[in-house]
């Protein structure tokens, strides 16, 4: 078994570790079908060999070529480390700075088998959202981090460690950019490639808020008991939907074709029940709906079958059994294992993907048309459906499904995106994902930070906030209480909530002071914030940062500056796009801080002048 010290010594080249290939007993990423030309294959091999000296290239190139042929990607399985991959206490990492140790902790947490979707392929979630492109990059990054001082910054390009660059003690210790041309890896919502992922808890929270606010907006309901939420996906991020449904108080039915993913969530306690029988699922749905029982039921089967069965029940009984619906299949990657066609079983579909990707593609698009047809049937009778930013509507449109919004341009869909339609106003108030990790690994530290966060939010409410902000604070206080009861920690001892600028700064400074007082140990705030993009079309740019709190005065000052900048930047962008909530929020921020100056949009008071100008 390899130790942390050995991991930090760099690539093990003398002697080379044994090549044991793909490990059995763990889930693996679907085979990729890049359809490379002979020259492109040579380039892939040449690029992979850049990490290794000439005297071992002849040996390694053969197995790299075999990986490329068998799996469509060079993962470098020989260098898969023989270590228990998890977030170790921060003191265990052989580093020169706490910041470097915190980054190493987060890297290993993102690759923890209990967290990662396909750990040996370095995929954290989303089917192809990688931490690194190959295992050589992991070893090099860990070596650089162990050597890094407070006068250096590690630069990462799409998983590739570009190197340690001279900087200064107030500079970032790590700068990451992803999706670079030439060295690109897919990073859905960025948290995998920036090492900020804390397991599916993050999307549990986001889904809880989405479902609660969808209920308020479309069902006019504060209480969701007896309401039914239907969706799909129990993978790295989508697996959160089951737990979110129960916390929100509704009946959740989630379809999943991969039995391994289904069982993983069931064994973790995130699914209350599982079944591969649609008759049983419909019976349980009816019972839970009637008796207003919070339930998470995992259907082992294709979600298209589930939607078509619900449409059949509507047609034969007149009963609309679903109130809310969405989808979290990995439709950003539909033809490489992110979406499985209803016409085939899971194993049969995987085989076809490998042997005849063209036929697989045809079946996927046919399945998407059926998928949408069933949803349309239900929404016509009153169900509300939204896109969850996974490019589902975009790929359905490309497949010829009826998803276009009547009377609108071709880039608009008949169903809204959760970002713009459900959560947009919340983001415009300055609320967004705010997560922290207790780097000691001690559950008691997490419980203490939970208590601190609730106290801060409750105190803010007592001091007075707007009605809309007050509602969000109450939702997040409820969330923290429920999170503790529902054992949501997977991997590192972490928590997430949504907060505005005031809440973020107050929570961070309160936790930093608790560290200074010895009530808790060092804490890490890994953050990401949506900055630009179109979630409905699967196109988005993210930005964010991570911050280590160690109880020092300097850490508190950094937290105040960075957290304020992060929130104000996002709100100012939404203000300029015309959102009224964002306008009010940024104006208040400028009143609170005279150093903040934001360009405010002027409204066109008389719309008629636009028409007149075009006519002339």
């Amino acid at each position: 078994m390899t130790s942390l010290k050995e991991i930090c010594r760099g690539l093990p080249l003398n002697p080379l570790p044994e090549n044991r290939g793909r490990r059995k007993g763990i889930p693996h990423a679907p085979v990729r079908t890049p359809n490379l030309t002979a020259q492109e294959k040579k380039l892939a091999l040449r690029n992979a060999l850049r990490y290794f000296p000439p005297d071992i290239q002849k040996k390694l190139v053969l197995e790299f070529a075999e990986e490329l042929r068998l799996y469509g990607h060079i993962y470098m399985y020989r260098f898969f480390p023989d270590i228990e991959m998890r977030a170790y206490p921060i003191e265990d990492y052989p580093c020169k700075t706490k910041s470097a140790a915190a980054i190493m902790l987060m890297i290993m947490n993102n690759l923890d088998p209990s967290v990662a979707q396909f750990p040996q392929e370095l995929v954290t979630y989303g089917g192809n959202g990688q931490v690194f492109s190959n295992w050589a990059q992991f070893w090099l990054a860990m070596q650089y981090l162990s050597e890094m001082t407070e006068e250096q910054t590690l630069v990462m390009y799409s998983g590739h460690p570009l190197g340690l660059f001279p900087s200064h003690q107030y500079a970032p210790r790590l700068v990451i950019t992803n999706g670079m041309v030439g060295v690109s890896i897919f990073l859905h919502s960025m948290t995998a490639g920036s090492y900020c992922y804390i397991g599916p808890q993050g999307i549990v929270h986001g889904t809880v808020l989405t479902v609660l606010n969808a209920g308020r907006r479309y069902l006019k309901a504060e209480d969701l008991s007896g309401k039914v939420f239907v969706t799909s996906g129990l993978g790295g991020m989508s697996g959160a939907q089951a737990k979110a449904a129960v916390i929100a108080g509704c009946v959740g039915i989630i379809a999943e074709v991969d039995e391994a993913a289904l069982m993983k969530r069931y064994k973790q306690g995130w699914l209350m029940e599982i079944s591969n029988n649609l008759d049983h699922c419909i019976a349980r749905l009816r019972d839970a709906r009637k008796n207003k029982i919070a339930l998470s039921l995992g259907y082992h089967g294709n979600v298209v079958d589930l939607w078509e069965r619900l449409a059949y029940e509507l047609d034969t009984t007149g009963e609309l059994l679903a109130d809310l619906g969405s989808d979290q299949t990995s439709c950003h990657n539909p033809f490489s294992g992110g979406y499985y066609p209803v016409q085939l079983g899971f194993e049969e579909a995987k085989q076809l993907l490998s042997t005849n990707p063209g036929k697989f593609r045809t079946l996927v698009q046919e399945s998407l048309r059926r998928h949408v047809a069933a949803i349309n049937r239900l929404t016509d009778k009153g169900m509300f459906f939204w896109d969850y930013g996974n490019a589902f509507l975009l790929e359905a449109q490309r497949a010829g499904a009826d998803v276009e919004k009547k009377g609108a341009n071709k880039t608009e869909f008949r169903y809204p995106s959760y970002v713009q339609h459900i959560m947009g106003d919340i983001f415009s108030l300055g609320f967004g994902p705010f997560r922290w990790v207790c780097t000691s690994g001690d559950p008691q530290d997490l419980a203490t930070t939970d208590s601190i966060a609730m106290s801060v939010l409750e105190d803010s409410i007592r001091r007075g906030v707007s009605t809309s902000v007050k509602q969000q604070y109450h939702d997040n206080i409820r969330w923290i209480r429920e999170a503790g009861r529902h054992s949501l920690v997977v991997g590192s001892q972490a928590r997430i909530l949504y907060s505005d600028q005031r809440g973020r700064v107050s929570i961070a400074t309160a936790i930093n002071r608790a560290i200074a007082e010895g009530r808790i140990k060092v804490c890490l705030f890994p953050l990401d914030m949506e900055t630009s993009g179109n979630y409905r079309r699967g196109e988005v740019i993210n930005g964010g940062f991570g911050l280590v709190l160690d109880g020092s005065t300097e850490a508190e000052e950094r937290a105040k500056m960075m957290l304020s900048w992060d929130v104000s930047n996002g709100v100012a962008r939404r203000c300029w796009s015309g959102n009224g909530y964002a306008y009010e929020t940024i104006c208040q921020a400028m009143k609170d801080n005279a150093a903040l100056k934001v360009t405010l949009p002027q409204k066109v008071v008389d719309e008629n002048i636009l028409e007149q100008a075009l006519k002339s």
Side-chain angles (χ1 to χ4, degrees), residues 30-63:
V31 174
R32 298 188 186 186
T33 53
N35 298 317
L36 302 179
T37 65
Q39 284 301 114
E40 288 169 336
K41 290 175 183 176
K42 284 183 182 179
L43 179 60
L45 291 171
R46 187 180 299 115
N47 288 344
L49 291 173
R50 288 180 294 183
Y51 293 103
F52 304 96
D55 60 318
I56 59 173
Q57 289 180 357
K58 189 173 182 180
K59 181 173 185 176
L60 294 178
V61 73
L62 295 174
E63 61 195 56

Side-chain angles (χ1 to χ4, degrees), residues 455-475:
S455 295
V456 166
L457 296 181
E458 287 165 349
D459 184 58
S460 294
I461 292 171
R462 283 193 294 271
R463 292 184 182 187
V465 292
S466 68
T467 302
S468 52
V469 169
K470 182 178 180 180
Q471 183 181 68
Q472 296 308 313
Y473 278 176
H474 277 308
D475 281 352

